[in-house]
PDB file of all heavy atoms in Angstrom:
ATOM      1  N   SER A   1      85.716  84.304  98.910  1.00  0.00           N
ATOM      2  CA  SER A   1      86.063  85.178  99.923  1.00  0.00           C
ATOM      3  C   SER A   1      87.383  84.945 100.589  1.00  0.00           C
ATOM      4  O   SER A   1      88.268  85.798 100.870  1.00  0.00           O
ATOM      5  CB  SER A   1      84.975  85.153 101.102  1.00  0.00           C
ATOM      6  OG  SER A   1      85.203  86.109 102.109  1.00  0.00           O
ATOM      7  N   GLU A   2      87.577  83.586 100.876  1.00  0.00           N
ATOM      8  CA  GLU A   2      88.832  83.102 101.469  1.00  0.00           C
ATOM      9  C   GLU A   2      90.067  83.441 100.456  1.00  0.00           C
ATOM     10  O   GLU A   2      91.070  83.952 100.906  1.00  0.00           O
ATOM     11  CB  GLU A   2      88.848  81.606 101.847  1.00  0.00           C
ATOM     12  CG  GLU A   2      87.916  81.310 103.034  1.00  0.00           C
ATOM     13  CD  GLU A   2      87.661  79.862 103.190  1.00  0.00           C
ATOM     14  OE1 GLU A   2      88.536  79.076 102.537  1.00  0.00           O
ATOM     15  OE2 GLU A   2      86.772  79.360 103.882  1.00  0.00           O
ATOM     16  N   LYS A   3      89.781  83.161  99.308  1.00  0.00           N
ATOM     17  CA  LYS A   3      90.792  83.322  98.229  1.00  0.00           C
ATOM     18  C   LYS A   3      91.217  84.822  98.120  1.00  0.00           C
ATOM     19  O   LYS A   3      92.390  85.154  98.027  1.00  0.00           O
ATOM     20  CB  LYS A   3      90.365  82.794  96.868  1.00  0.00           C
ATOM     21  CG  LYS A   3      91.430  82.585  95.803  1.00  0.00           C
ATOM     22  CD  LYS A   3      92.294  81.525  96.110  1.00  0.00           C
ATOM     23  CE  LYS A   3      93.283  81.204  94.954  1.00  0.00           C
ATOM     24  NZ  LYS A   3      94.397  80.128  95.342  1.00  0.00           N
ATOM     25  N   LEU A   4      90.156  85.718  98.163  1.00  0.00           N
ATOM     26  CA  LEU A   4      90.465  87.194  98.016  1.00  0.00           C
ATOM     27  C   LEU A   4      91.249  87.590  99.263  1.00  0.00           C
ATOM     28  O   LEU A   4      92.224  88.457  99.191  1.00  0.00           O
ATOM     29  CB  LEU A   4      89.139  87.855  97.933  1.00  0.00           C
ATOM     30  CG  LEU A   4      88.445  87.854  96.611  1.00  0.00           C
ATOM     31  CD1 LEU A   4      86.894  88.312  96.874  1.00  0.00           C
ATOM     32  CD2 LEU A   4      89.129  88.573  95.573  1.00  0.00           C
ATOM     33  N   GLU A   5      90.897  87.199 100.425  1.00  0.00           N
ATOM     34  CA  GLU A   5      91.588  87.525 101.768  1.00  0.00           C
ATOM     35  C   GLU A   5      93.074  87.193 101.494  1.00  0.00           C
ATOM     36  O   GLU A   5      93.843  88.037 102.060  1.00  0.00           O
ATOM     37  CB  GLU A   5      91.000  86.956 102.890  1.00  0.00           C
ATOM     38  CG  GLU A   5      89.628  87.309 103.215  1.00  0.00           C
ATOM     39  CD  GLU A   5      89.466  88.716 103.753  1.00  0.00           C
ATOM     40  OE1 GLU A   5      90.544  89.342 104.067  1.00  0.00           O
ATOM     41  OE2 GLU A   5      88.325  89.261 103.895  1.00  0.00           O
ATOM     42  N   VAL A   6      93.383  86.014 101.031  1.00  0.00           N
ATOM     43  CA  VAL A   6      94.776  85.669 100.955  1.00  0.00           C
ATOM     44  C   VAL A   6      95.462  86.297  99.799  1.00  0.00           C
ATOM     45  O   VAL A   6      96.557  86.915 100.036  1.00  0.00           O
ATOM     46  CB  VAL A   6      94.779  84.103 100.732  1.00  0.00           C
ATOM     47  CG1 VAL A   6      96.242  83.620 100.476  1.00  0.00           C
ATOM     48  CG2 VAL A   6      94.333  83.341 101.961  1.00  0.00           C
ATOM     49  N   GLU A   7      94.910  86.414  98.578  1.00  0.00           N
ATOM     50  CA  GLU A   7      95.646  86.803  97.525  1.00  0.00           C
ATOM     51  C   GLU A   7      95.744  88.355  97.445  1.00  0.00           C
ATOM     52  O   GLU A   7      96.835  88.867  97.071  1.00  0.00           O
ATOM     53  CB  GLU A   7      94.927  86.304  96.173  1.00  0.00           C
ATOM     54  CG  GLU A   7      94.913  84.903  95.955  1.00  0.00           C
ATOM     55  CD  GLU A   7      96.314  84.352  95.763  1.00  0.00           C
ATOM     56  OE1 GLU A   7      97.196  85.089  95.364  1.00  0.00           O
ATOM     57  OE2 GLU A   7      96.379  83.164  96.132  1.00  0.00           O
ATOM     58  N   LEU A   8      94.741  89.123  97.984  1.00  0.00           N
ATOM     59  CA  LEU A   8      94.876  90.462  97.950  1.00  0.00           C
ATOM     60  C   LEU A   8      95.947  91.115  98.892  1.00  0.00           C
ATOM     61  O   LEU A   8      96.706  91.905  98.473  1.00  0.00           O
ATOM     62  CB  LEU A   8      93.556  91.238  98.285  1.00  0.00           C
ATOM     63  CG  LEU A   8      92.356  90.804  97.177  1.00  0.00           C
ATOM     64  CD1 LEU A   8      91.216  91.717  97.560  1.00  0.00           C
ATOM     65  CD2 LEU A   8      92.833  91.073  95.822  1.00  0.00           C
ATOM     66  N   VAL A   9      95.942  90.498  99.997  1.00  0.00           N
ATOM     67  CA  VAL A   9      96.938  91.026 101.011  1.00  0.00           C
ATOM     68  C   VAL A   9      98.343  90.562 100.608  1.00  0.00           C
ATOM     69  O   VAL A   9      99.378  91.320 100.868  1.00  0.00           O
ATOM     70  CB  VAL A   9      96.620  90.555 102.477  1.00  0.00           C
ATOM     71  CG1 VAL A   9      96.859  89.119 102.679  1.00  0.00           C
ATOM     72  CG2 VAL A   9      97.314  91.427 103.463  1.00  0.00           C
ATOM     73  N   GLY A  10      98.494  89.452  99.903  1.00  0.00           N
ATOM     74  CA  GLY A  10      99.772  88.988  99.539  1.00  0.00           C
ATOM     75  C   GLY A  10     100.295  89.584  98.216  1.00  0.00           C
ATOM     76  O   GLY A  10     101.467  89.875  98.163  1.00  0.00           O
ATOM     77  N   ARG A  11      99.474  89.836  97.139  1.00  0.00           N
ATOM     78  CA  ARG A  11     100.085  90.186  96.013  1.00  0.00           C
ATOM     79  C   ARG A  11      99.009  91.097  95.299  1.00  0.00           C
ATOM     80  O   ARG A  11      98.836  91.090  94.035  1.00  0.00           O
ATOM     81  CB  ARG A  11     100.475  89.173  95.060  1.00  0.00           C
ATOM     82  CG  ARG A  11      99.531  88.027  94.882  1.00  0.00           C
ATOM     83  CD  ARG A  11      99.993  86.803  94.077  1.00  0.00           C
ATOM     84  NE  ARG A  11      98.961  85.872  93.694  1.00  0.00           N
ATOM     85  CZ  ARG A  11      98.597  85.958  92.404  1.00  0.00           C
ATOM     86  NH1 ARG A  11      98.989  86.797  91.515  1.00  0.00           N
ATOM     87  NH2 ARG A  11      97.549  85.103  92.125  1.00  0.00           N
ATOM     88  N   GLY A  12      98.319  91.943  95.863  1.00  0.00           N
ATOM     89  CA  GLY A  12      97.172  92.747  95.397  1.00  0.00           C
ATOM     90  C   GLY A  12      97.522  94.001  94.778  1.00  0.00           C
ATOM     91  O   GLY A  12      96.642  94.893  94.448  1.00  0.00           O
ATOM     92  N   GLU A  13      98.695  94.231  94.343  1.00  0.00           N
ATOM     93  CA  GLU A  13      99.098  95.455  93.581  1.00  0.00           C
ATOM     94  C   GLU A  13      98.338  95.502  92.334  1.00  0.00           C
ATOM     95  O   GLU A  13      98.184  94.602  91.633  1.00  0.00           O
ATOM     96  CB  GLU A  13     100.604  95.528  93.303  1.00  0.00           C
ATOM     97  CG  GLU A  13     101.121  96.850  93.019  1.00  0.00           C
ATOM     98  CD  GLU A  13     101.311  97.752  94.404  1.00  0.00           C
ATOM     99  OE1 GLU A  13     101.301  97.250  95.423  1.00  0.00           O
ATOM    100  OE2 GLU A  13     101.423  99.016  94.169  1.00  0.00           O
ATOM    101  N   ALA A  14      97.762  96.772  92.032  1.00  0.00           N
ATOM    102  CA  ALA A  14      97.040  96.963  90.801  1.00  0.00           C
ATOM    103  C   ALA A  14      97.969  96.854  89.588  1.00  0.00           C
ATOM    104  O   ALA A  14      99.171  96.977  89.701  1.00  0.00           O
ATOM    105  CB  ALA A  14      96.403  98.346  90.779  1.00  0.00           C
ATOM    106  N   GLY A  15      97.505  96.363  88.418  1.00  0.00           N
ATOM    107  CA  GLY A  15      98.242  96.175  87.310  1.00  0.00           C
ATOM    108  C   GLY A  15      98.672  97.564  86.755  1.00  0.00           C
ATOM    109  O   GLY A  15      98.209  98.693  87.029  1.00  0.00           O
ATOM    110  N   GLN A  16      99.769  97.587  85.897  1.00  0.00           N
ATOM    111  CA  GLN A  16     100.386  98.748  85.474  1.00  0.00           C
ATOM    112  C   GLN A  16      99.445  99.631  84.546  1.00  0.00           C
ATOM    113  O   GLN A  16      99.385 100.870  84.769  1.00  0.00           O
ATOM    114  CB  GLN A  16     101.631  98.425  84.665  1.00  0.00           C
ATOM    115  CG  GLN A  16     102.474  99.740  84.276  1.00  0.00           C
ATOM    116  CD  GLN A  16     102.981 100.425  85.514  1.00  0.00           C
ATOM    117  OE1 GLN A  16     103.531  99.849  86.380  1.00  0.00           O
ATOM    118  NE2 GLN A  16     102.818 101.659  85.521  1.00  0.00           N
ATOM    119  N   ARG A  17      98.598  98.916  83.822  1.00  0.00           N
ATOM    120  CA  ARG A  17      97.638  99.670  82.990  1.00  0.00           C
ATOM    121  C   ARG A  17      96.575 100.392  83.911  1.00  0.00           C
ATOM    122  O   ARG A  17      96.162 101.556  83.563  1.00  0.00           O
ATOM    123  CB  ARG A  17      96.849  98.680  81.999  1.00  0.00           C
ATOM    124  CG  ARG A  17      97.778  98.261  80.861  1.00  0.00           C
ATOM    125  CD  ARG A  17      96.959  97.180  79.992  1.00  0.00           C
ATOM    126  NE  ARG A  17      95.838  97.914  79.290  1.00  0.00           N
ATOM    127  CZ  ARG A  17      94.630  97.268  79.123  1.00  0.00           C
ATOM    128  NH1 ARG A  17      94.445  96.002  79.342  1.00  0.00           N
ATOM    129  NH2 ARG A  17      93.799  98.001  78.391  1.00  0.00           N
ATOM    130  N   THR A  18      96.282  99.780  84.898  1.00  0.00           N
ATOM    131  CA  THR A  18      95.194 100.321  85.797  1.00  0.00           C
ATOM    132  C   THR A  18      95.810 101.600  86.529  1.00  0.00           C
ATOM    133  O   THR A  18      95.331 102.733  86.628  1.00  0.00           O
ATOM    134  CB  THR A  18      94.809  99.407  86.897  1.00  0.00           C
ATOM    135  OG1 THR A  18      94.233  98.261  86.169  1.00  0.00           O
ATOM    136  CG2 THR A  18      93.725 100.008  87.775  1.00  0.00           C
ATOM    137  N   ALA A  19      97.078 101.362  86.985  1.00  0.00           N
ATOM    138  CA  ALA A  19      97.817 102.547  87.647  1.00  0.00           C
ATOM    139  C   ALA A  19      98.006 103.745  86.754  1.00  0.00           C
ATOM    140  O   ALA A  19      97.861 104.844  87.069  1.00  0.00           O
ATOM    141  CB  ALA A  19      99.153 102.020  88.301  1.00  0.00           C
ATOM    142  N   ASP A  20      98.503 103.459  85.605  1.00  0.00           N
ATOM    143  CA  ASP A  20      98.706 104.500  84.558  1.00  0.00           C
ATOM    144  C   ASP A  20      97.507 105.183  84.305  1.00  0.00           C
ATOM    145  O   ASP A  20      97.472 106.439  84.232  1.00  0.00           O
ATOM    146  CB  ASP A  20      99.337 103.877  83.265  1.00  0.00           C
ATOM    147  CG  ASP A  20     100.710 103.484  83.465  1.00  0.00           C
ATOM    148  OD1 ASP A  20     101.411 103.749  84.566  1.00  0.00           O
ATOM    149  OD2 ASP A  20     101.240 102.632  82.566  1.00  0.00           O
ATOM    150  N   TRP A  21      96.415 104.463  84.084  1.00  0.00           N
ATOM    151  CA  TRP A  21      95.047 105.123  83.754  1.00  0.00           C
ATOM    152  C   TRP A  21      94.582 106.028  84.932  1.00  0.00           C
ATOM    153  O   TRP A  21      94.169 107.207  84.744  1.00  0.00           O
ATOM    154  CB  TRP A  21      93.987 103.989  83.586  1.00  0.00           C
ATOM    155  CG  TRP A  21      92.634 104.590  83.068  1.00  0.00           C
ATOM    156  CD1 TRP A  21      92.317 104.684  81.747  1.00  0.00           C
ATOM    157  CD2 TRP A  21      91.584 105.020  83.792  1.00  0.00           C
ATOM    158  NE1 TRP A  21      90.902 105.155  81.678  1.00  0.00           N
ATOM    159  CE2 TRP A  21      90.521 105.565  82.974  1.00  0.00           C
ATOM    160  CE3 TRP A  21      91.469 105.291  85.279  1.00  0.00           C
ATOM    161  CZ2 TRP A  21      89.413 106.092  83.475  1.00  0.00           C
ATOM    162  CZ3 TRP A  21      90.220 105.871  85.724  1.00  0.00           C
ATOM    163  CH2 TRP A  21      89.244 106.249  84.844  1.00  0.00           C
ATOM    164  N   LEU A  22      94.850 105.544  86.191  1.00  0.00           N
ATOM    165  CA  LEU A  22      94.471 106.345  87.267  1.00  0.00           C
ATOM    166  C   LEU A  22      95.258 107.660  87.367  1.00  0.00           C
ATOM    167  O   LEU A  22      94.684 108.756  87.639  1.00  0.00           O
ATOM    168  CB  LEU A  22      94.510 105.571  88.450  1.00  0.00           C
ATOM    169  CG  LEU A  22      93.481 104.572  88.829  1.00  0.00           C
ATOM    170  CD1 LEU A  22      93.921 103.513  89.820  1.00  0.00           C
ATOM    171  CD2 LEU A  22      92.291 105.123  89.316  1.00  0.00           C
ATOM    172  N   MET A  23      96.566 107.568  87.191  1.00  0.00           N
ATOM    173  CA  MET A  23      97.446 108.807  87.279  1.00  0.00           C
ATOM    174  C   MET A  23      97.069 109.737  86.146  1.00  0.00           C
ATOM    175  O   MET A  23      97.009 110.916  86.484  1.00  0.00           O
ATOM    176  CB  MET A  23      98.913 108.300  87.271  1.00  0.00           C
ATOM    177  CG  MET A  23      99.373 107.634  88.440  1.00  0.00           C
ATOM    178  SD  MET A  23     101.131 107.359  88.643  1.00  0.00           S
ATOM    179  CE  MET A  23     101.334 105.923  87.497  1.00  0.00           C
ATOM    180  N   ARG A  24      96.802 109.243  84.964  1.00  0.00           N
ATOM    181  CA  ARG A  24      96.550 110.147  83.806  1.00  0.00           C
ATOM    182  C   ARG A  24      95.169 110.789  84.084  1.00  0.00           C
ATOM    183  O   ARG A  24      94.984 112.017  83.844  1.00  0.00           O
ATOM    184  CB  ARG A  24      96.630 109.287  82.618  1.00  0.00           C
ATOM    185  CG  ARG A  24      96.461 110.144  81.271  1.00  0.00           C
ATOM    186  CD  ARG A  24      96.517 109.203  80.072  1.00  0.00           C
ATOM    187  NE  ARG A  24      95.505 108.290  79.989  1.00  0.00           N
ATOM    188  CZ  ARG A  24      95.651 106.963  80.148  1.00  0.00           C
ATOM    189  NH1 ARG A  24      96.788 106.549  80.565  1.00  0.00           N
ATOM    190  NH2 ARG A  24      94.584 106.117  79.900  1.00  0.00           N
ATOM    191  N   THR A  25      94.261 109.990  84.473  1.00  0.00           N
ATOM    192  CA  THR A  25      92.840 110.561  84.546  1.00  0.00           C
ATOM    193  C   THR A  25      92.698 111.417  85.818  1.00  0.00           C
ATOM    194  O   THR A  25      91.963 112.454  85.712  1.00  0.00           O
ATOM    195  CB  THR A  25      91.764 109.382  84.635  1.00  0.00           C
ATOM    196  OG1 THR A  25      92.012 108.546  83.489  1.00  0.00           O
ATOM    197  CG2 THR A  25      90.339 109.920  84.611  1.00  0.00           C
ATOM    198  N   LEU A  26      93.239 111.114  86.886  1.00  0.00           N
ATOM    199  CA  LEU A  26      93.172 111.791  88.040  1.00  0.00           C
ATOM    200  C   LEU A  26      94.262 112.991  88.205  1.00  0.00           C
ATOM    201  O   LEU A  26      94.092 113.760  89.054  1.00  0.00           O
ATOM    202  CB  LEU A  26      93.260 111.032  89.338  1.00  0.00           C
ATOM    203  CG  LEU A  26      92.123 109.837  89.452  1.00  0.00           C
ATOM    204  CD1 LEU A  26      92.503 109.082  90.743  1.00  0.00           C
ATOM    205  CD2 LEU A  26      90.747 110.492  89.568  1.00  0.00           C
ATOM    206  N   GLY A  27      95.167 112.966  87.499  1.00  0.00           N
ATOM    207  CA  GLY A  27      96.231 114.005  87.507  1.00  0.00           C
ATOM    208  C   GLY A  27      97.044 113.879  88.771  1.00  0.00           C
ATOM    209  O   GLY A  27      97.412 114.936  89.429  1.00  0.00           O
ATOM    210  N   VAL A  28      97.394 112.649  89.287  1.00  0.00           N
ATOM    211  CA  VAL A  28      98.265 112.503  90.487  1.00  0.00           C
ATOM    212  C   VAL A  28      99.277 111.473  90.137  1.00  0.00           C
ATOM    213  O   VAL A  28      99.287 110.803  89.189  1.00  0.00           O
ATOM    214  CB  VAL A  28      97.376 112.009  91.574  1.00  0.00           C
ATOM    215  CG1 VAL A  28      96.178 113.034  91.985  1.00  0.00           C
ATOM    216  CG2 VAL A  28      96.713 110.648  91.265  1.00  0.00           C
ATOM    217  N   GLN A  29     100.261 111.538  90.992  1.00  0.00           N
ATOM    218  CA  GLN A  29     101.310 110.483  91.158  1.00  0.00           C
ATOM    219  C   GLN A  29     100.992 109.573  92.236  1.00  0.00           C
ATOM    220  O   GLN A  29     100.563 109.982  93.317  1.00  0.00           O
ATOM    221  CB  GLN A  29     102.620 111.206  91.328  1.00  0.00           C
ATOM    222  CG  GLN A  29     103.204 111.974  90.086  1.00  0.00           C
ATOM    223  CD  GLN A  29     103.397 111.125  88.895  1.00  0.00           C
ATOM    224  OE1 GLN A  29     104.034 109.991  88.988  1.00  0.00           O
ATOM    225  NE2 GLN A  29     102.853 111.608  87.777  1.00  0.00           N
ATOM    226  N   LEU A  30     101.116 108.221  91.983  1.00  0.00           N
ATOM    227  CA  LEU A  30     100.779 107.254  92.968  1.00  0.00           C
ATOM    228  C   LEU A  30     102.053 106.490  93.426  1.00  0.00           C
ATOM    229  O   LEU A  30     102.908 106.089  92.733  1.00  0.00           O
ATOM    230  CB  LEU A  30      99.862 106.144  92.351  1.00  0.00           C
ATOM    231  CG  LEU A  30      98.404 106.621  91.880  1.00  0.00           C
ATOM    232  CD1 LEU A  30      97.692 105.477  91.199  1.00  0.00           C
ATOM    233  CD2 LEU A  30      97.705 107.154  93.014  1.00  0.00           C
ATOM    234  N   GLU A  31     102.062 106.362  94.711  1.00  0.00           N
ATOM    235  CA  GLU A  31     103.095 105.564  95.378  1.00  0.00           C
ATOM    236  C   GLU A  31     102.828 104.099  95.205  1.00  0.00           C
ATOM    237  O   GLU A  31     103.620 103.119  94.874  1.00  0.00           O
ATOM    238  CB  GLU A  31     103.327 105.866  96.881  1.00  0.00           C
ATOM    239  CG  GLU A  31     103.885 107.245  97.120  1.00  0.00           C
ATOM    240  CD  GLU A  31     105.439 107.325  96.719  1.00  0.00           C
ATOM    241  OE1 GLU A  31     106.121 106.212  96.694  1.00  0.00           O
ATOM    242  OE2 GLU A  31     105.914 108.480  96.617  1.00  0.00           O
ATOM    243  N   HIS A  32     101.517 103.809  95.504  1.00  0.00           N
ATOM    244  CA  HIS A  32     100.986 102.422  95.293  1.00  0.00           C
ATOM    245  C   HIS A  32      99.520 102.532  94.983  1.00  0.00           C
ATOM    246  O   HIS A  32      98.769 103.345  95.289  1.00  0.00           O
ATOM    247  CB  HIS A  32     101.036 101.664  96.687  1.00  0.00           C
ATOM    248  CG  HIS A  32     102.398 101.467  97.274  1.00  0.00           C
ATOM    249  ND1 HIS A  32     103.277 100.499  96.636  1.00  0.00           N
ATOM    250  CD2 HIS A  32     103.164 102.092  98.165  1.00  0.00           C
ATOM    251  CE1 HIS A  32     104.438 100.609  97.262  1.00  0.00           C
ATOM    252  NE2 HIS A  32     104.424 101.563  98.271  1.00  0.00           N
ATOM    253  N   ALA A  33      98.974 101.384  94.252  1.00  0.00           N
ATOM    254  CA  ALA A  33      97.609 101.098  94.015  1.00  0.00           C
ATOM    255  C   ALA A  33      97.361  99.755  94.334  1.00  0.00           C
ATOM    256  O   ALA A  33      97.971  98.876  93.671  1.00  0.00           O
ATOM    257  CB  ALA A  33      97.278 101.545  92.583  1.00  0.00           C
ATOM    258  N   ARG A  34      96.683  99.513  95.384  1.00  0.00           N
ATOM    259  CA  ARG A  34      96.627  98.129  95.902  1.00  0.00           C
ATOM    260  C   ARG A  34      95.165  97.695  96.298  1.00  0.00           C
ATOM    261  O   ARG A  34      94.506  98.461  96.825  1.00  0.00           O
ATOM    262  CB  ARG A  34      97.513  97.974  97.035  1.00  0.00           C
ATOM    263  CG  ARG A  34      97.331  96.625  97.797  1.00  0.00           C
ATOM    264  CD  ARG A  34      98.425  96.452  99.014  1.00  0.00           C
ATOM    265  NE  ARG A  34      99.718  96.308  98.362  1.00  0.00           N
ATOM    266  CZ  ARG A  34     100.313  95.191  98.171  1.00  0.00           C
ATOM    267  NH1 ARG A  34      99.699  94.022  98.163  1.00  0.00           N
ATOM    268  NH2 ARG A  34     101.563  95.135  97.670  1.00  0.00           N
TER     269      ARG A  34
END
């Protein structure tokens, strides 16, 4: 829990594959996926 609190707020941007999948599947453009 402590590690997630620190790491997500600091560098929790989703990976490029995840972001690409979301944009393609949902039909949207994303500014951020975090």
Side-chain angles (χ1 to χ4, degrees):
S1 177
E2 291 174 14
K3 194 73 172 172
L4 285 167
E5 292 289 349
V6 172
E7 296 298 334
L8 296 189
V9 74
R11 55 189 191 96
E13 200 75 18
Q16 189 61 51
R17 289 179 63 212
T18 305
D20 288 345
W21 187 95
L22 286 162
M23 288 190 285
R24 185 176 66 254
T25 304
L26 298 176
V28 296
Q29 290 297 310
L30 296 176
E31 291 288 338
H32 296 286
R34 174 175 287 275

